[in-house]
Amino acid sequence: MSDDTATRSGGTAQEAQRYCFDLVRGADKDRFLSALFAPDDRRADLMALYAFNVEIARIREQVSEPTLGEMRLEWWRGELEMLFSGEAGDHPVLQGLDAPARAGRLSRQGLENLIEARRFDLYDDPMPTLNDLEGYLGETSSSLIQMAAWILAGDEAGAAAEAAGLAGVAYGLAGLMRALPVHRARGQCFLPADMLAAHGIAPAHVLSGRWSEELAAVLGELRDVAGRRLEEARGLSRSVPRAVLPAFLPVALVDLYLARLRASAGPGMLKTVRDVPQFRRQWRLWRCAMRERF
């Protein structure tokens, strides 16, 4: 390789890293802030993984019909096949994933499962049951924690798999409830149809924007499920290697989110995202990182 080629390659790698950092910082602040606690030699790999998640998750809002979304998902699947065959492609996220893929720190199956799970997002079908919802979150939120842990610690991360599964469900449930106005605006209902039916309402009730005691009860039950999954995950914290803590750090914010959702329960939940100020999130992440806990 000539000096000129090496310079151009280095510049391209730097541009890819910058793209991933900027994308995650703008679209997934919790994981961005958590990744800052990762070792220097793993941080860019984490950002590339999280950037991939952002790219897949935002397809629904970028296309006008499901067929176009399906095409984009298939494009990413094809690019992953090339990536794991040694060709990173031109997209900066794929270039960012090249190093961990070559080093064996990236799960191709995990990435493909993430693509497949996001296929559900393209359509307006209601989430059938709580079990289906937890399965969906297992393939998205939990899988992301597991893949991030693998980037950080390799085989050692296997000990944290059960905790990651539970922690991802807790974080995912809190996120879905916070994003209720966003999903409702685009005609989606992630609240399980079986839970709604148990209280005598249907997804159409949620999509109409009508607040009711029945809807409040369903959201209360989901907050309880998220809280239980969080406590179950924390109960397994001794099985989580210290090296993978940055992968789990976003889960430290679940308490804050659930408290905010509980305090603001009412009609406004269907119209405005219930968020927590960034300074509170940063403080919580810093404290948990220093105490090596989530």
Side-chain angles (χ1 to χ4, degrees):
M1 178 183 290
S2 69
D3 291 341
D4 181 56
T5 302
T7 301
R8 289 203 306 271
S9 298
T12 299
Q14 291 174 358
E15 291 169 3
Q17 287 184 13
R18 176 51 53 195
Y19 177 91
C20 293
F21 270 65
D22 290 345
L23 179 60
V24 178
R25 179 168 50 201
D28 192 349
K29 187 59 67 69
D30 290 354
R31 291 189 177 96
F32 175 83
L33 293 172
S34 298
L36 297 181
F37 292 97
D40 292 345
D41 63 345
R42 293 291 186 271
R43 191 174 302 128
D45 294 349
L46 281 182
M47 292 295 186
L49 171 64
Y50 296 152
F52 176 84
N53 178 61
V54 171
E55 294 283 9
I56 299 301
R58 68 180 182 175
I59 288 177
R60 161 76 188 233
E61 61 193 63
Q62 293 178 325
V63 298
S64 57
E65 59 183 82
T67 302
L68 298 176
E70 293 275 9
M71 292 172 62
R72 291 200 182 191
L73 289 178
E74 288 307 313
W75 181 86
W76 281 103
R77 185 184 295 278
E79 290 297 308
L80 284 183
E81 184 175 350
M82 293 178 61
L83 173 68
F84 284 91
S85 297
E87 299 180 43
D90 296 328
H91 196 287
V93 169
L94 295 166
Q95 293 171 357
L97 293 174
D98 186 47
R102 289 178 182 275
R105 295 194 301 267
L106 198 61
S107 167
R108 175 178 175 178
Q109 188 62 56
L111 295 175
E112 290 182 344
N113 289 347
L114 189 62
I115 289 175
E116 189 58 34
R118 289 296 182 182
R119 203 176 298 278
F120 179 87
D121 297 8
L122 303 178
Y123 300 90
D124 296 337
D125 299 334
M127 185 65 67
T129 68
L130 176 60
N131 187 59
D132 290 319
L133 178 56
E134 293 201 60
Y136 168 86
L137 294 174
E139 295 293 354
T140 53
S141 181
S142 299
S143 181
L144 211 53
I145 295 175
Q146 292 169 336
M147 287 189 284
W150 188 267
I151 284 175
L152 291 166
D155 291 340
E156 188 181 355
E162 185 177 358
L166 294 163
V169 170
Y171 184 78
L173 284 173
L176 287 177
M177 285 186 280
R178 290 168 55 223
L180 186 57
V182 176
H183 296 148
R184 190 183 69 80
R186 63 191 190 198
Q188 287 181 297
C189 180
F190 280 93
L191 304 186
D194 64 338
M195 295 180 69
L196 294 171
H199 289 275
I201 55 178
H205 180 101
V206 180
L207 297 178
S208 71
R210 288 179 291 155
W211 182 258
S212 65
E213 292 183 2
E214 292 79 9
L215 179 55
V218 172
L219 291 170
E221 290 175 6
L222 278 178
R223 289 196 302 271
D224 290 343
V225 173
R228 288 198 300 272
R229 297 295 177 264
L230 178 62
E231 289 308 310
E232 290 166 357
R234 286 174 171 166
L236 297 171
S237 59
R238 291 186 178 180
S239 68
V240 177
R242 293 169 61 185
V244 308
L245 179 64
F248 279 80
L249 271 181
V251 185
L253 302 174
V254 172
D255 290 314
L256 296 180
Y257 290 140
L258 294 180
R260 179 74 174 105
L261 289 166
R262 187 177 299 108
S264 60
M269 286 188 67
L270 298 173
K271 300 176 182 178
T272 306
V273 175
R274 296 319 198 198
D275 216 338
V276 173
Q278 184 175 323
F279 76 89
R280 290 193 63 196
R281 287 182 281 152
Q282 288 182 254
W283 173 244
R284 172 63 67 89
L285 291 172
W286 181 83
R287 284 188 62 192
C288 288
M290 295 303 100
R291 296 180 178 184
E292 298 183 344
R293 53 183 287 190
F294 62 90

